[in-house]
Amino acid sequence: MILGLMQTSPLLVSGILRYAASAHGGREIVSRLIDEPIWRYNYEGLARRAAQAAHALARLGVKPGDRVTSLAWNTHRHLELFYAAPGLGAVLHTANPRLSDEQIVFTINHAASRVLLFDRNFADLVARLAPRLTSIETFVMLSDAERTHPAGVEAASYEALIAGEAGTFDWPTMDENAGAFLCYTSGTTGDPKGVLYSHRAVVLHAMAGGLASAFGLTAFDVVMPCSSLYHATAWGLPFTAPICGAKLVLPADKMDGASLHRLIQDEGVTFTGGVPTIWTMYLAYLEQTGERPVALKRVVIGGSAVPRAMAETFKTRYGVDVLQIWGMTETCPLGVIATPTPALAALGEDAMNEAIWTRQGRLQFGIELRVEAEDGSEAPRDGETSGALKVRGPWVVRRYYRKDEDAADVDGWFDTGDIATLDQNGFLRITDRQKDVIKSGGEWISSIDLENIAAGCPGVKIAAVVGVPHPKWEERPLLVIETHEGAAVAKADVLAFLEPRIVKWWTPDDVVFAPVPLTATGKIDKKVLREAWRSHLTG
Amino acid sequence: MILGLMQTSPLLVSGILRYAASAHGGREIVSRLIDEPIWRYNYEGLARRAAQAAHALARLGVKPGDRVTSLAWNTHRHLELFYAAPGLGAVLHTANPRLSDEQIVFTINHAASRVLLFDRNFADLVARLAPRLTSIETFVMLSDAERTHPAGVEAASYEALIAGEAGTFDWPTMDENAGAFLCYTSGTTGDPKGVLYSHRAVVLHAMAGGLASAFGLTAFDVVMPCSSLYHATAWGLPFTAPICGAKLVLPADKMDGASLHRLIQDEGVTFTGGVPTIWTMYLAYLEQTGERPVALKRVVIGGSAVPRAMAETFKTRYGVDVLQIWGMTETCPLGVIATPTPALAALGEDAMNEAIWTRQGRLQFGIELRVEAEDGSEAPRDGETSGALKVRGPWVVRRYYRKDEDAADVDGWFDTGDIATLDQNGFLRITDRQKDVIKSGGEWISSIDLENIAAGCPGVKIAAVVGVPHPKWEERPLLVIETHEGAAVAKADVLAFLEPRIVKWWTPDDVVFAPVPLTATGKIDKKVLREAWRSHLTG
């Protein structure tokens, strides 16, 4: 081996910002805010204010390698933190407000963050958590100076903080493997696990997303990420959009159909993405009002399987292509994207749509997929044989944050916990899940955690929780209880028992009393339960 | 700084092949050959035969780090070498057959290549050069066994060589900064200079080319590179196409209008690219025959400035978009690409086309451009102020092969030798050239080398060579001679003097006798000369 003689400039998040400001400086960024008017600027403005924010963070004592936490919606201020913190060499921990108080506290303390920057409507939450946040030295409200209320916690105003700072920052050159973002996943039981994205992973992932055969954004696109910025960096769209020169539209927390439609129409959104729940609401809104999106061309849907009817409605009624994606926090998150191929097109439009609407996506450059049979061999790519889905590649987790063991095996394969098939066209179909988790509106609920808590309720012999189909949230938890002989337990008793012990949105949609089937090895047979109760919430 | 915890899998050329075979295995590759029927296979076949070729090279003793030279056209066998040699850790030196014998010998000896693989119609050339190729141990003709003639040199048949080898190869994992391709540039005076592309540079460059805002290839594209595989890896198309799942069509050396049109029609080519000279011939062919390309959508043109009329004809008469690009061997070669933006579109279609047709391109992600005034400051981006064009980025040369000094400055800026302007939309216009070189049909001719040789002709006082516009080759050399007083020198004398000393295609298109203007510092005033003689070959 001899070394090449090309430049080895590191792939850094700051390079994306520098490019966008230089090549697409005038391209707009539009952001809704919490109780403030819509904000408008452009990539030049983003570069200027990200520099100001970086100076402000540095003034607060944030140094390279330090962690900073955001608890925020999809706004331009949050976007500025996406560039400011990693730009100066710090790590942005994007806390997930959907977690329980305990879990949020755990993640911030686990990250040992020094600064917490939060949106105004998280003020109560922050005031409640503040006494337990052992590492936070500075609280900053992402708000203008006038609107920063005292909130049970001493918080500076973001706008006041950055106001006097210089609009340029000499972004340091550093190792591209430096940590940039810390995203916790609560997908499985136990404490949330941190995935520490490197600059290299973020940049490569953003480039892969910008490939014409992936998201295919051009400078003419207007991109509105409805996936949360705190969820695996909103699928990398805050990086892919500037790389491609696309306009960015940020909807804050207004994910209802009317609010989204307003932005889609007013800003000429051509490309958006989010979990199915959002699009259920959006399609219902269109249906009710008879309105039609004008410029919208593509909706990327992921986080949960896309209902076939949703994809069909978007396409046939509104002429909008649906691109399914599959991925997870551990994959930055892009794994596969369901973009068409000539092999599919050759089957005819109906068959092609069917394939695209019922599969999670196809192999993308950079990510390797392996469906593994129980004996460890690779399953044939016949679209039939299912097995454990494993992934590897330059934007796949190697090890969780502050763990002593790698999450991937020696060959780099990370077990996703999903059961899947691959077909000869390279299309992936998720068929089942190894892990006992429920995905409600794109958020994970641990059925095992719920079971463990419910099992503590007096009179309960076995508590089993399964995810069952739900018209809005895709999947919601159903609690099946087998009581001790002679015990009299009512639904209200169980719910009252759970209420102080779980975050509100984990509350099972129903509690039913029935014998719980067990597998041969004495485990709860979730497959049988899911099948038996699958229509319980949908009728 | 803390390190991220993502996988650090290296970006390797073999990863592109693995992806294409896995995700787009059935997508076709079609290749013309030298005196053989058209060849058809697919990415699965490419992976299989590249593995066979790698085994064969290894059997010939090629080890990681060794150099291997190809002297070949755009064929599937050459493509196989693009993956086989770098895949096993060796470096593929793609020799340029347009250079003089001396230069070809120089590059192969400078590379210290161990194996030379050549197309059949280079057999005479190879026989002539063989005695001076000090490092070549094995000669291989890229041909089937029956057609491998004895050719004044002992050559094995490529097909015979790979026939018995295994169709899989355990491509080694290695440092992504390892050398993969060695491309020599003869742009300036003196010996050709080698640019040693790393795997990382090749992969990043291929991804950048695949961005929707760049070449924007999808799985539906049919890509025919008419830029030579030996010229900066044909603009990376042999890598971008498989990353995007596009079909590849390889025209061998048949670049005439009729041959290209046949492939374009028969194979459904949607995307092609090459130097202006090729498209001059192609448009003339369409004009003469009244034929029209059916599926063709885009032609990327680079290597020399695109005549405005060419772009306009493609667009208005045939509905084909022309994308200008600018780059050089030292930039892998993609620098800028003239893709439209909303800012340009807002000016109206005519103004947008005008901008796109008269500028070399706009800033692309990954490459930084700097137009530098004489005092070292950055020139304003006003589209007017010109200066030295400098570039840097992860696919820009750091140092030429076997040189002791970096070609880029300490900040990474590489001086391209071009004079350019940048405008507020990030569009680049090359306005002049610092270096005394002429670009004929995409190939460099050193005017200084020509002058030095011509100055040796008896009776010549000053020999000046300038490039002047030419209807087919864009630019051809004109030799202006000022004779010693009283000396009688005729055009025929000069040409006879040059003939044994230069490669044939360097021969000046005309020799004129006139006083040679000098600058204040006594140098030949090329600007004045170019202006005075600019219509000599076209008028």
Side-chain angles (χ1 to χ4, degrees):
Chain A
M1 202 266 290
I2 57 170
L3 284 176
L5 291 167
M6 306 308 279
Q7 302 189 10
T8 51
S9 1
L11 303 172
L12 298 175
V13 168
S14 56
I16 295 176
L17 185 63
R18 191 182 287 124
Y19 170 72
S22 170
H24 306 283
R27 194 71 170 129
E28 245 188 329
I29 301 171
V30 179
S31 177
R32 277 197 204 277
L33 294 169
I34 314 302
D35 304 331
E36 290 181 52
I38 282 190
W39 171 275
R40 286 175 189 282
Y41 64 164
N42 55 28
Y43 284 111
E44 235 169 58
L46 171 63
R48 191 169 54 246
R49 283 173 50 96
Q52 292 178 275
H55 284 299
L57 288 174
R59 189 157 46 81
L60 293 176
V62 174
K63 291 183 298 295
D66 284 350
R67 274 78 61 207
V68 165
T69 295
S70 61
L71 196 59
W73 305 109
N74 290 11
T75 71
H76 74 289
R77 294 192 186 111
H78 202 180
L79 183 67
E80 289 158 11
L81 299 179
F82 266 50
Y83 287 97
L88 70 84
V91 172
L92 184 67
H93 161 227
T94 51
N96 181 346
R98 301 285 187 205
L99 299 184
S100 67
D101 282 13
E102 282 61 37
Q103 287 178 315
I104 298 175
V105 168
F106 172 86
T107 61
I108 297 175
N109 289 345
H110 189 262
S113 264
R114 300 185 57 194
V115 180
L116 175 61
L117 303 104
F118 60 97
D119 266 329
R120 185 210 321 279
N121 51 6
F122 292 128
D124 289 347
L125 174 66
V126 171
R128 194 164 75 232
L129 305 183
R132 297 151 68 192
L133 300 176
T134 50
S135 60
I136 299 291
E137 298 159 14
T138 311
F139 292 85
V140 179
M141 191 183 280
L142 294 166
S143 180
D144 53 14
E146 310 90 79
R147 288 187 179 82
T148 303
H149 312 299
V153 62
E154 190 101 7
S157 147
Y158 177 77
E159 290 297 332
L161 209 60
I162 72 168
E165 299 294 347
T168 59
F169 194 98
D170 191 11
W171 304 112
T173 299
M174 56 192 150
D175 187 334
E176 68 185 24
N177 289 305
F181 291 87
L182 181 56
C183 304
Y184 283 83
T185 173
S186 56
T188 49
T189 184
D191 290 325
K193 294 200 281 275
V195 186
L196 185 53
Y197 296 174
S198 63
H199 284 260
R200 173 184 167 97
V202 169
V203 174
L204 288 176
H205 177 267
M207 290 179 77
L211 290 173
S213 46
F215 288 159
L217 302 179
T218 76
F220 288 87
D221 273 305
V222 179
V223 176
M224 179 169 74
C226 295
S227 43
S228 302
L229 290 187
Y230 58 74
H231 256 172
T233 73
W235 308 351
L237 290 173
F239 306 113
T240 301
I243 277 178
C244 301
K247 173 176 168 179
L248 258 178
V249 178
L250 299 165
D253 59 344
K254 306 289 188 304
M255 298 293 179
D256 62 287
S259 299
L260 291 185
H261 189 63
R262 195 70 279 127
L263 281 181
I264 287 171
Q265 301 295 69
D266 291 354
E267 304 303 332
V269 171
T270 62
F271 184 103
T272 183
V275 296
T277 300
I278 290 170
W279 309 116
T280 300
M281 298 190 291
Y282 181 60
L283 287 176
Y285 172 83
L286 294 182
E287 174 86 9
Q288 282 154 23
T289 58
E291 300 226 28
R292 299 178 61 85
V294 172
L296 191 62
K297 290 198 189 71
R298 288 177 296 161
V299 179
V300 182
I301 310 185
S304 301
V306 179
R308 199 192 168 294
M310 175 179 287
E312 190 163 358
T313 304
F314 262 121
K315 179 68 178 177
T316 57
R317 199 167 310 164
Y318 303 107
V320 174
D321 282 319
V322 165
L323 296 183
Q324 276 204 66
I325 61 170
W326 169 89
M328 53 203 309
T329 301
E330 287 89 340
T331 62
C332 264
L334 291 186
V336 299
I337 307 180
T339 46
T341 64
L344 280 191
L347 306 174
E349 197 179 335
D350 288 350
M352 180 172 84
N353 284 336
E354 186 65 26
I356 286 181
W357 294 341
T358 58
R359 285 163 178 83
Q360 275 60 54
R362 68 173 171 83
L363 292 162
Q364 295 292 313
F365 179 69
I367 284 274
E368 285 181 276
L369 262 57
R370 178 184 166 89
V371 172
E372 201 171 282
E374 281 193 18
D375 65 1
S377 68
E378 188 163 1
R381 292 199 174 177
D382 54 11
E384 298 287 337
T385 313
S386 63
L389 176 63
K390 301 189 169 184
V391 293
R392 70 175 177 190
W395 51 91
V396 173
V397 68
R398 178 173 62 81
R399 175 180 291 199
Y400 290 109
Y401 187 50
R402 293 179 57 189
K403 294 282 181 187
D404 297 325
E405 279 179 16
D406 282 354
D409 70 18
V410 288
D411 294 321
W413 291 111
F414 171 77
D415 191 338
T416 64
D418 280 320
I419 306 291
T421 63
L422 265 177
D423 67 23
Q424 55 177 9
N425 293 315
F427 274 77
L428 175 83
R429 194 199 305 248
I430 303 287
T431 57
D432 203 353
R433 208 178 280 150
Q434 291 176 314
K435 293 179 299 192
D436 265 327
V437 283
I438 294 155
K439 207 155 195 187
S440 166
E443 297 277 352
W444 294 111
I445 296 173
S446 167
S447 55
I448 292 178
D449 283 359
L450 262 181
E451 286 164 1
N452 288 341
I453 294 166
C457 179
V460 169
K461 183 179 169 197
I462 308 177
V465 174
V466 286
V468 294
H470 184 278
K472 177 171 176 185
W473 301 106
E474 303 313 319
E475 207 175 69
R476 287 295 301 160
L478 172 74
L479 175 53
V480 183
I481 282 180
E482 186 174 325
T483 54
H484 286 294
E485 247 185 75
V489 190
K491 176 176 166 180
D493 301 332
V494 178
L495 292 177
F497 180 83
L498 292 179
E499 198 264 328
R501 294 175 171 83
I502 59 172
V503 65
K504 192 157 183 282
W505 64 275
W506 278 33
T507 309
D509 278 37
D510 200 3
V511 182
V512 296
F513 296 88
V516 171
L518 300 179
T519 65
T521 56
K523 291 183 190 154
I524 297 169
D525 195 332
K526 295 287 177 89
K527 248 188 178 158
V528 168
L529 268 185
R530 271 196 290 263
E531 202 44 47
W533 297 94
R534 62 172 296 114
S535 306
H536 189 68
L537 300 179
T538 49
Chain B
M1 201 268 289
I2 56 171
L3 284 176
L5 291 167
M6 307 307 280
Q7 302 189 9
T8 50
S9 1
L11 305 172
L12 298 175
V13 167
S14 55
I16 296 177
L17 185 62
R18 192 181 285 125
Y19 170 73
S22 170
H24 306 283
R27 194 70 170 130
E28 244 187 331
I29 301 171
V30 178
S31 177
R32 276 197 203 276
L33 293 169
I34 312 303
D35 304 330
E36 291 181 52
I38 281 189
W39 172 275
R40 288 176 187 280
Y41 64 164
N42 55 27
Y43 284 113
E44 235 169 59
L46 171 63
R48 191 168 54 246
R49 285 175 48 97
Q52 292 177 277
H55 284 299
L57 288 174
R59 189 158 45 84
L60 293 176
V62 174
K63 291 184 297 295
D66 284 350
R67 275 77 61 207
V68 163
T69 295
S70 62
L71 196 59
W73 304 109
N74 291 10
T75 71
H76 74 289
R77 295 194 185 110
H78 202 181
L79 182 68
E80 288 158 11
L81 299 179
F82 266 50
Y83 288 97
L88 70 85
V91 172
L92 183 67
H93 161 227
T94 51
N96 181 345
R98 301 285 187 206
L99 299 184
S100 66
D101 283 13
E102 282 62 37
Q103 287 179 316
I104 298 174
V105 167
F106 173 86
T107 61
I108 297 175
N109 288 344
H110 189 261
S113 265
R114 299 185 56 194
V115 179
L116 175 61
L117 304 104
F118 60 97
D119 267 329
R120 185 209 323 277
N121 51 5
F122 292 129
D124 289 347
L125 173 65
V126 171
R128 194 164 73 232
L129 305 184
R132 296 150 68 191
L133 300 177
T134 51
S135 60
I136 300 292
E137 298 160 13
T138 311
F139 292 85
V140 179
M141 191 183 280
L142 295 165
S143 179
D144 53 14
E146 311 89 77
R147 287 187 181 81
T148 303
H149 312 297
V153 61
E154 190 102 6
S157 148
Y158 176 78
E159 291 298 333
L161 209 59
I162 72 169
E165 300 293 346
T168 59
F169 194 98
D170 192 11
W171 303 112
T173 298
M174 55 191 149
D175 187 333
E176 68 186 23
N177 289 305
F181 291 87
L182 181 56
C183 303
Y184 283 83
T185 173
S186 56
T188 49
T189 184
D191 290 327
K193 295 201 281 276
V195 185
L196 184 54
Y197 297 174
S198 63
H199 284 261
R200 172 184 167 97
V202 169
V203 174
L204 289 174
H205 177 267
M207 290 180 76
L211 291 173
S213 46
F215 289 159
L217 301 179
T218 76
F220 289 88
D221 273 305
V222 179
V223 176
M224 179 170 73
C226 296
S227 43
S228 302
L229 291 188
Y230 59 74
H231 256 173
T233 73
W235 309 350
L237 290 172
F239 306 113
T240 300
I243 278 179
C244 301
K247 172 175 168 179
L248 259 178
V249 178
L250 298 165
D253 60 344
K254 306 289 187 305
M255 298 294 178
D256 61 287
S259 300
L260 291 184
H261 189 64
R262 194 70 280 127
L263 281 181
I264 287 171
Q265 301 296 67
D266 290 353
E267 305 302 333
V269 170
T270 63
F271 184 102
T272 182
V275 295
T277 300
I278 289 169
W279 309 116
T280 301
M281 296 189 293
Y282 182 59
L283 288 176
Y285 172 82
L286 294 182
E287 174 85 10
Q288 282 155 22
T289 59
E291 301 227 27
R292 301 178 61 84
V294 172
L296 190 62
K297 291 198 188 70
R298 289 177 294 161
V299 179
V300 182
I301 311 185
S304 301
V306 179
R308 199 191 168 296
M310 176 180 287
E312 190 164 358
T313 304
F314 263 122
K315 179 69 178 178
T316 57
R317 200 167 308 165
Y318 304 106
V320 174
D321 282 320
V322 164
L323 296 183
Q324 276 203 66
I325 62 171
W326 169 89
M328 53 204 307
T329 301
E330 287 88 342
T331 63
C332 266
L334 291 186
V336 298
I337 307 179
T339 47
T341 65
L344 278 190
L347 304 174
E349 197 179 333
D350 287 350
M352 180 172 86
N353 283 336
E354 185 65 26
I356 286 182
W357 293 342
T358 59
R359 285 161 178 82
Q360 273 61 54
R362 68 173 172 81
L363 291 162
Q364 295 293 312
F365 179 68
I367 282 277
E368 286 181 275
L369 261 56
R370 177 183 168 88
V371 172
E372 201 170 284
E374 280 194 17
D375 65 1
S377 67
E378 189 163 1
R381 292 197 175 178
D382 54 11
E384 297 287 337
T385 313
S386 64
L389 176 63
K390 299 187 169 185
V391 294
R392 69 175 177 191
W395 51 90
V396 173
V397 68
R398 178 173 63 77
R399 175 179 291 199
Y400 290 110
Y401 186 50
R402 294 179 57 189
K403 294 282 180 187
D404 298 325
E405 280 180 15
D406 281 353
D409 70 19
V410 287
D411 295 320
W413 291 111
F414 171 75
D415 191 338
T416 65
D418 280 319
I419 307 291
T421 64
L422 266 176
D423 66 25
Q424 56 177 9
N425 293 316
F427 274 78
L428 175 83
R429 196 200 303 249
I430 303 287
T431 57
D432 204 353
R433 206 179 281 150
Q434 290 176 315
K435 293 178 298 193
D436 265 326
V437 282
I438 295 155
K439 207 155 193 187
S440 167
E443 297 277 352
W444 295 111
I445 296 173
S446 168
S447 56
I448 293 180
D449 283 359
L450 264 182
E451 286 164 1
N452 287 342
I453 294 166
C457 179
V460 170
K461 183 182 171 192
I462 309 177
V465 174
V466 286
V468 294
H470 184 278
K472 176 170 177 186
W473 302 105
E474 303 314 320
E475 209 173 68
R476 287 294 303 161
L478 174 73
L479 175 54
V480 183
I481 283 180
E482 186 174 323
T483 53
H484 286 294
E485 248 186 72
V489 189
K491 177 176 166 181
D493 300 332
V494 177
L495 292 178
F497 180 84
L498 292 179
E499 200 263 326
R501 294 176 170 84
I502 59 171
V503 64
K504 192 156 183 284
W505 63 275
W506 277 34
T507 309
D509 277 36
D510 200 3
V511 182
V512 295
F513 296 86
V516 171
L518 300 179
T519 66
T521 56
K523 291 180 190 157
I524 296 169
D525 195 333
K526 296 286 177 91
K527 249 187 179 158
V528 169
L529 268 185
R530 272 195 289 263
E531 202 43 48
W533 297 93
R534 62 172 296 113
S535 307
H536 189 69
L537 300 178
T538 50

